[in-house]
Amino acid sequence: MTAPRESVASAIRRALLTPEPKAKVFAARDVARRWRLGRLEWQFDEPMPEEPAWPAEPELLPPNRMPKRGKAGSERGRIALWHALAHIEFVAIDLALDMAGRFGAQMGRGFVDDFLSVAADEAMHFALLDRKLRRLGCHYGALPAHGGLWQAAHETRHDVLARLAVVPMVLEARGLDVTPATRERVRAQGDEDGARILQRILDDEIRHVRFGTRHFVAQCEATGANPPESWKTLVKRHFRGALKPPFNDSARSAAGLSRDFYDSVASETNARLAHNS
């Protein structure tokens, strides 16, 4: 007698509750592979945890307590950069898993396809960055890390549109803006291996933002809502940070995120910052 297949929700939950980084990488990629091969049941029979399991290290700190990275180009500065990037990608694994597991039943199979593939990408990114750290004589967890990266997920856990608006369409889109300049700084230091890693991450993140934007727009259009206006409302309500230029308009456009979405929000943010300064 054939044993029943595991549900997709159970597999995702188990990956989210895996704390050790290498094990989480394996679990995320395994969930994505088994889903792609039809080896997981379309069943959302287990709730997603309020937050994922994480290792004891790195120490998570609020942004205002994060130590300075050190001079750009110095050994300390390089290690701090790669550690910060590794932490972003580590948390991104859980953001993508939670997206698929929390909202998949509501959004359908294509949504789960997309965000489990994102989780596998983020796991691969983290593995590349962790390997980079080890070549520099360091490892993930050796330095403190930003403790607020899960906050956006927690605050949008009851609303898929809010989650899409903030995570792929703000946080990941910000990566499209800043990664090219980081890549060029790394290349100027003679680190072509690091530049290749950053290019790979940039290429994948364009696709991730495209997934988020596509599902956001489809949901808005299904209800007759205006996508850019809905996005602006949700960002004002749920995103605590600031949308600051410069924007990588070409990468954002490739991801389906036109200036109709973010131009006026950025202008309002700049005006507010100027007023408060």
Side-chain angles (χ1 to χ4, degrees):
M1 184 175 178
T2 305
R5 290 186 301 179
E6 184 177 18
S7 71
V8 66
S10 171
I12 292 172
R13 179 181 171 88
R14 205 152 37 76
L16 283 165
L17 293 177
T18 300
E20 198 278 322
K22 286 186 179 178
K24 191 184 286 283
V25 165
F26 177 82
R29 298 183 75 171
D30 183 61
V31 171
R33 181 183 61 84
R34 287 195 291 151
W35 171 253
R36 188 176 66 251
L37 295 174
R39 295 175 183 170
L40 293 172
E41 202 69 48
W42 174 261
Q43 192 173 0
F44 291 84
D45 53 346
E46 293 195 33
M48 295 301 105
E50 285 295 292
E51 61 181 37
W54 292 317
E57 295 179 328
E59 179 186 11
L60 301 180
L61 299 176
N64 61 359
R65 287 187 52 209
M66 285 292 292
K68 299 293 184 184
R69 287 186 185 174
K71 186 177 179 181
S74 68
E75 181 180 4
R76 178 185 170 192
R78 288 197 301 272
I79 288 173
L81 169 66
W82 294 111
H83 193 279
L85 293 172
H87 181 63
I88 291 169
E89 298 298 325
F90 183 72
V91 176
I93 300 170
D94 287 326
L95 289 171
L97 288 170
D98 187 79
M99 183 83 87
R102 189 173 297 274
F103 302 113
Q106 170 189 350
M107 297 293 289
R109 287 181 181 272
F111 186 88
V112 176
D113 291 345
D114 287 345
F115 285 100
L116 286 185
S117 77
V118 171
D121 286 347
E122 307 293 18
M124 183 268 293
H125 296 166
F126 172 79
L128 290 172
L129 293 164
D130 186 51
R131 191 183 311 154
K132 178 72 173 175
L133 277 171
R134 292 180 186 279
R135 286 199 294 268
L136 293 170
C138 192
H139 65 276
Y140 178 62
L143 302 177
H146 193 307
L149 296 180
W150 185 254
Q151 185 176 13
H154 182 73
E155 292 187 357
T156 57
R157 64 195 182 280
H158 301 307
D159 184 347
V160 67
L161 273 183
R163 175 70 66 85
L164 289 166
V166 172
V167 174
M169 298 174 72
V170 171
L171 299 181
E172 288 201 83
R174 187 60 181 157
L176 305 185
D177 302 331
V178 302
T179 301
T182 305
R183 178 197 61 207
E184 293 313 307
R185 284 198 303 273
V186 165
R187 179 169 282 140
Q189 294 162 8
D191 185 357
E192 194 57 40
D193 169 69
R196 283 195 298 269
I197 292 172
L198 291 172
Q199 185 62 52
R200 175 62 187 270
I201 291 172
L202 177 61
D203 292 342
D204 289 342
E205 298 294 355
I206 290 172
R207 188 173 70 258
H208 300 173
V209 176
R210 187 187 305 127
F211 288 159
T213 304
R214 186 176 70 222
H215 288 290
F216 183 88
V217 169
Q219 280 291 102
C220 288
E221 290 178 346
T223 60
N226 178 279
E229 293 305 317
S230 297
W231 181 80
K232 291 169 193 174
T233 298
L234 290 165
V235 169
K236 288 178 185 177
R237 185 180 303 156
H238 296 286
F239 182 61
R240 298 185 180 183
L243 273 68
K244 296 184 290 186
F247 299 115
N248 185 345
D249 291 328
S250 62
R252 284 171 172 254
S253 178
L257 195 57
S258 68
R259 294 184 68 95
D260 293 343
F261 283 90
Y262 56 88
D263 251 3
S264 64
V265 175
S267 299
E268 290 169 14
T269 296
N270 291 339
R272 187 170 66 251
L273 292 174
H275 176 74
N276 293 334
S277 62

